[in-house]
Amino acid sequence: MTVIATEGLSKRFPRVTALDRLSLDIAPGVTGLVGANGAGKSTLIKILLGLSPASEGKAAVLGLDVASEGGAIRERVGYMPEHDCLPPDVSATEFVVHMARMSGLPPSAARERTADTLRHVGLYEERYRPIGGYSTGMKQRVKLAQALVHDPQLVLLDEPTNGLDPVGRDEMLGLIRRVHTDFGISVLVTSHLLGELERTCDHVVVIDGGTLLRSSSTDDFTQATASLAVEVTDSDAHPDGTAALRKALEGAGIAVATAEREADGSPTSTRVLFVEVTGDPTYDAVRDAVAGLGLGLVRMEQRRHRIAEVFRTDSATAGPSPGARPQPSPSQPAVGEPAPRSAAPHSPAHQHPAQQDAARQHQEGGSGDVA
Amino acid sequence: MSPKTQAGDAPGARQAPRGAAPAADVIHNIGYRHYDGPRLGRAYARRSLFSQSLRGAYGLGRSAKSKVLPMLLVGVMCLPAGIIVAVAVATKTDELPVEYTRYAIILQAVIGLFVAAQAPQSVSRDLRFKTVPLYFSRPIETTDYVVAKFAAMASAIFLLTATPVLILYVGALLGKLDFVDQTKGFAQGMLSVALLSLLFAGIGLVIAALTPRRGFGVAAVIAVLTISYGAVSVMQGIADEQGETGAIEWIGLFSPITLIDGIGSAFLGATSAAPGQFGPDAAVGVVYLLVYAVLVAGAYGLLVRRYRKVGL
């Protein structure tokens, strides 16, 4: 079953082409729609809601044709706009109740659903206060609540993390994830930040200049390149435990790197080793090496590479031209391949550690802009 | 609506039967519940928007502060009617001192203030706070939104203008004035304020929908209503002075209130408020009706066009 399907979808305005023969197939789950400003994200959402006719091509949402069944689509779909859209002088409850009724819910159901939905998005006592006094994070929650209040089968979230501080951003992303896992509602979330989508989305679609740049599952982007962060203590026998471990691991044929920065841009200690995971034996090898050296294991945690790194190598090899189509995901090498370094360096799944470091530094500030 | 277990929900849970019973080991289930009840669709949403907007025009469901002005204006609008009735009953006249059709024309400034305050309240807020896209991402269409807002504003003005007419009528009946006469006048008065409500709502909403700034909207509505009336009155006065009484009825076409007054005097037996009572006769009255129809339809068309543009 597909939630959104477009076929050769184009939208031309007198002076610009917003969408150019876009063909997409989006399955249930959380899907990230990534693109720089002006890539055609908002135009696509408008067409999907049946509010703007496509110049050519077809699109269906939940199996309903956007051209002829817009009303039915809008009854089953929730939409959270990018911009501020809340009147400041009414309370969240009043506002969401009104919006629920606008979606066709009878008065009593509208009130009941509003109370439920506001609780689910994390608004409690403050929901009776006028929205004008809310923080940005709370306003975003109200916006999300009005998109969910009529229990849609799909929500379209346009830049839901805009204007939020890092904590608020994390909370919003967690909430979006829950919309799917706990509420069973499919999500299409747009962003121009790649970094934040990889934690949230099952699938990422990248558009640029109205054309499809790439569409594949987040696992394809990141899981195949999993690495392990390992930090150990020093001991009398090994005054520099990190170096000793590194030597031991490299001796066992395992790729090890250090990074000056965390993937999110915060400085990290050189004591953290990044071990390339090539399969379950890697974990055992690390454990055995640490135990063998008699060191204390401070941490050993799973890390994922950033989607942005994948794109970085893509653009480095395929060139930044918008029409370039990177290799489809099925052709990627299997995860368990023994020698990652020997794999083709331009394959998105495997990177040279030096490239990863460069990518991490490149990502300073935590943003992973496509462009 | 049946509760849905939260634990172990795999992605794609939507495909799971919605009414799945909670697992036996779930004690506190405050998880997400799906909505299986009715979805009442477009017509219901339009009605809801209508009632919300109508209530909003009188500050109901809004802050106490926003109730002050509309309620005050209702009071100002009804007070003279009450006094007139009291005097009529006390002096036992056989006729009310003010015609039913004339009452709203006399108190037009109050109606103008109400429109100026409430039309921007009704539409500018949605534009200013960009709430409009939220409406249009729901089942209703542009025309539904415009119809609901238009009808709500017209009804709000009708309530304001019809209440004093009703007071006059009830008072007249209590004063034992001639029933047939009074009922006929009352019906004419009601029809006249209904026409006035529709026209003022259209003009007020079109002006208010042009700007997301409420203050501009208020000022613009007042300006259009008073300047047009002022200009028409002055022109009519000059025409009267110079003996060009034939022109008076034509000049009256150019302001909303004189337009209503003209229709009233042509068809509803009203005494014209124009200088020298040179209101239009039935033939010119048809032109008045035409202009009226064009204005109301034009207002509707402009609103629909405006919202096609701002939607999402």
Side-chain angles (χ1 to χ4, degrees):
Chain A
M1 181 208 159
T2 54
V3 176
I4 297 170
T6 70
E7 209 183 300
L9 195 67
S10 295
K11 178 74 182 179
R12 294 191 191 86
F13 296 108
R15 298 180 62 192
V16 278
T17 300
L19 291 176
D20 191 13
R21 294 186 296 280
L22 187 68
S23 294
L24 282 177
D25 247 343
I26 293 175
V30 184
T31 304
L33 179 64
V34 189
N37 292 334
K41 290 173 294 184
S42 304
T43 309
L44 180 61
I45 286 183
K46 260 190 225 180
I47 294 176
L48 293 179
L49 285 170
L51 295 172
S52 167
S55 306
E56 66 186 49
K58 282 189 298 188
V61 175
L62 305 168
L64 300 162
D65 183 56
V66 293
S68 56
E69 292 165 294
I73 290 174
R74 293 196 296 276
E75 203 168 74
R76 294 167 175 77
V77 171
Y79 168 62
M80 172 178 171
E82 175 184 359
H83 52 73
D84 212 8
C85 59
L86 307 172
D89 54 353
V90 296
S91 72
T93 300
E94 286 172 69
F95 181 71
V96 178
V97 166
H98 178 55
M99 283 300 146
R101 297 184 59 169
M102 286 297 105
S103 293
L105 266 57
S108 58
R111 275 192 296 277
E112 202 174 305
R113 289 276 321 164
T114 297
D116 269 15
T117 313
L118 286 174
R119 181 165 52 75
H120 280 299
V121 301
L123 281 174
Y124 300 95
E125 289 313 309
E126 57 271 29
R127 65 175 189 258
Y128 302 112
R129 293 206 316 260
I131 296 172
Y134 288 13
S135 67
T136 309
M138 283 155 72
K139 282 182 185 163
Q140 290 296 90
R141 285 163 196 262
V142 179
K143 281 166 64 177
L144 182 62
Q146 66 79 29
L148 293 173
V149 71
H150 54 297
D151 188 28
Q153 282 161 267
L154 167 72
V155 279
L156 308 175
L157 311 178
D158 203 353
E159 307 271 0
T161 54
N162 240 5
L164 296 178
D165 61 20
V167 175
R169 195 169 277 245
D170 279 351
E171 285 172 356
M172 179 53 73
L173 290 172
L175 203 50
I176 292 169
R177 188 69 218 162
R178 275 187 56 217
V179 168
H180 176 57
T181 55
D182 295 0
F183 308 172
I185 296 170
S186 288
V187 180
L188 180 72
V189 48
T190 77
S191 179
H192 54 270
L193 300 175
L194 270 169
E196 65 184 30
L197 291 183
E198 67 174 6
R199 280 178 291 160
T200 318
C201 299
D202 305 318
H203 199 92
V204 173
V205 172
V206 185
I207 60 173
D208 189 34
T211 57
L212 182 69
L213 207 59
R214 179 171 181 147
S215 167
S216 56
S217 85
T218 318
D219 290 351
D220 287 345
F221 279 114
T222 56
Q223 215 155 49
T225 60
S227 76
L228 202 59
V230 181
E231 192 176 343
V232 291
T233 57
D234 301 330
S235 70
D236 292 340
H238 301 281
D240 186 352
T242 312
L245 178 64
R246 180 170 192 160
K247 213 171 142 204
L249 288 174
E250 280 173 346
I254 295 169
V256 181
T258 56
E260 276 161 28
R261 286 180 181 280
E262 293 276 3
D264 61 4
S266 58
T268 180
S269 148
T270 50
R271 299 182 57 87
V272 179
L273 291 176
F274 294 101
V275 180
E276 190 116 12
V277 178
T278 53
D280 282 344
T282 312
Y283 300 102
D284 296 342
V286 172
R287 179 198 62 202
D288 293 344
V290 174
L293 293 166
L295 301 172
L297 188 58
V298 178
R299 69 167 164 147
M300 177 163 149
E301 66 179 8
Q302 184 99 46
R303 301 174 60 83
R304 282 176 164 195
H305 288 178
R306 301 257 139 181
I307 301 175
E309 298 167 26
V310 179
F311 282 102
R312 205 177 128 73
T313 35
D314 272 349
S315 55
T317 54
S321 87
R325 254 168 222 254
Q327 341 37 0
S329 49
S331 72
Q332 286 180 357
V335 180
E337 217 171 336
R341 279 194 200 216
S342 66
H346 55 265
S347 158
H350 296 282
Q351 294 174 309
H352 197 276
Q355 277 178 311
Q356 295 165 21
D357 291 353
R360 283 203 186 87
Q361 281 158 12
H362 173 68
Q363 270 198 307
E364 209 161 322
S367 67
D369 237 299
V370 201
Chain B
M1 241 186 292
S2 56
K4 185 169 173 301
T5 48
Q6 205 177 324
D9 257 353
R14 173 63 71 157
Q15 276 82 44
R18 279 191 161 205
D25 57 331
V26 175
I27 299 164
H28 301 291
N29 192 332
I30 53 162
Y32 187 78
R33 292 185 298 176
H34 283 292
Y35 176 71
D36 294 329
R39 291 170 193 267
L40 304 174
R42 252 177 92 175
Y44 164 79
R46 197 169 48 208
R47 277 200 310 277
S48 299
L49 182 59
F50 167 79
S51 64
Q52 192 244 13
S53 304
L54 178 55
R55 286 163 48 84
Y58 284 97
L60 303 173
R62 293 171 58 215
S63 65
K65 216 172 62 186
S66 49
K67 291 181 182 67
V68 175
L69 183 66
M71 293 308 174
L72 198 72
L73 291 178
V74 170
V76 170
M77 199 69 191
C78 294
L79 192 65
I83 294 171
I84 289 169
V85 163
V87 169
V89 171
T91 57
K92 299 200 182 347
T93 52
D94 55 353
E95 195 176 38
L96 286 175
V98 174
E99 285 177 39
Y100 289 106
T101 44
R102 190 72 188 278
Y103 190 84
I105 312 287
I106 295 171
L107 285 171
Q108 57 154 312
V110 182
I111 306 169
L113 267 183
F114 183 84
V115 176
Q118 301 308 318
Q121 186 280 127
S122 180
V123 290
S124 303
R125 288 173 76 253
D126 284 349
L127 290 171
R128 172 151 177 221
F129 304 121
K130 296 185 184 163
T131 320
V132 177
L134 296 187
Y135 287 105
F136 296 147
S137 67
R138 293 181 149 74
I140 62 167
E141 310 262 345
T142 320
T143 48
D144 297 318
Y145 181 88
V146 171
V147 165
K149 286 286 184 188
F150 204 143
M153 195 68 230
S155 305
I157 302 173
F158 183 72
L159 280 179
L160 178 79
T161 50
T163 312
V165 176
L166 188 67
I167 293 175
L168 287 179
Y169 179 59
V170 171
L173 292 188
L174 287 177
K176 302 211 166 40
L177 300 184
D178 181 58
F179 178 76
V180 176
D181 250 18
Q182 294 303 319
T183 307
K184 186 171 168 241
F186 173 66
Q188 288 170 333
M190 284 310 233
L191 196 56
S192 149
V193 295
L195 289 172
L196 178 144
S197 303
L198 212 54
L199 180 65
F200 274 46
I203 293 171
L205 288 178
V206 165
I207 297 169
L210 288 178
T211 167
R213 301 286 296 272
R214 193 177 152 188
F216 286 160
V218 171
V221 173
I222 289 183
V224 166
L225 292 181
T226 55
I227 291 174
S228 66
Y229 176 68
V232 164
S233 308
V234 169
M235 296 280 285
Q236 284 181 331
I238 293 170
D240 194 32
E241 287 279 303
Q242 300 190 335
E244 302 274 345
T245 49
I248 291 178
E249 57 183 5
W250 295 105
I251 296 170
L253 283 169
F254 292 94
S255 101
I257 199 75
T258 51
L259 186 65
I260 296 296
D261 183 55
I263 293 175
S265 62
F267 300 108
L268 300 172
T271 314
S272 176
Q277 300 191 351
F278 288 109
D281 53 20
V284 182
V286 172
V287 180
Y288 269 64
L289 274 182
L290 266 174
V291 170
Y292 175 85
V294 166
L295 279 178
V296 171
Y300 174 78
L302 284 174
L303 282 172
V304 169
R305 236 187 84 192
R306 169 77 175 138
Y307 281 97
R308 286 257 153 80
K309 234 180 234 171
V310 294
L312 219 58

